[in-house]
Amino acid sequence: RSINFNDDTERQAHDTIVALVGKMLTLHIHLDAVKTPYDREVVARRIELLDEETGRLIEELYGLSDQETAQIQEHLQSLSL
């Protein structure tokens, strides 16, 4: 289904997701520049948390069931993403 940008709730969810993805991309760039293993772990964990939050918001926005979410996760893992 498409996002209804005339619906304030859906538009806000979309904007939040876009912002979180932007933060993740910035952290991925930062991850390449981090020198110590500890700092790499901290940045990697922040990326993981943002990814989980993004996934939760997407599930909520699109009204995905647990089964649909599991199927998507399985498919993404098969692609090695």
Side-chain angles (χ1 to χ4, degrees), residues 31-59:
L31 186 62
D32 291 336
V34 173
K35 304 288 186 215
T36 68
Y38 174 79
D39 289 339
R40 285 188 65 79
E41 179 63 31
V42 169
V43 173
R45 181 65 182 137
R46 288 178 64 196
I47 292 169
E48 185 179 322
L49 290 171
L50 287 170
D51 184 56
E52 290 171 5
E53 178 67 10
T54 302
R56 187 188 64 74
L57 289 172
I58 290 169
E59 291 167 22

Side-chain angles (χ1 to χ4, degrees), residues 57-68:
L57 289 172
I58 290 169
E59 291 167 22
E60 195 175 289
L61 177 62
Y62 288 99
L64 300 176
S65 68
D66 290 342
Q67 181 181 2
E68 290 168 321

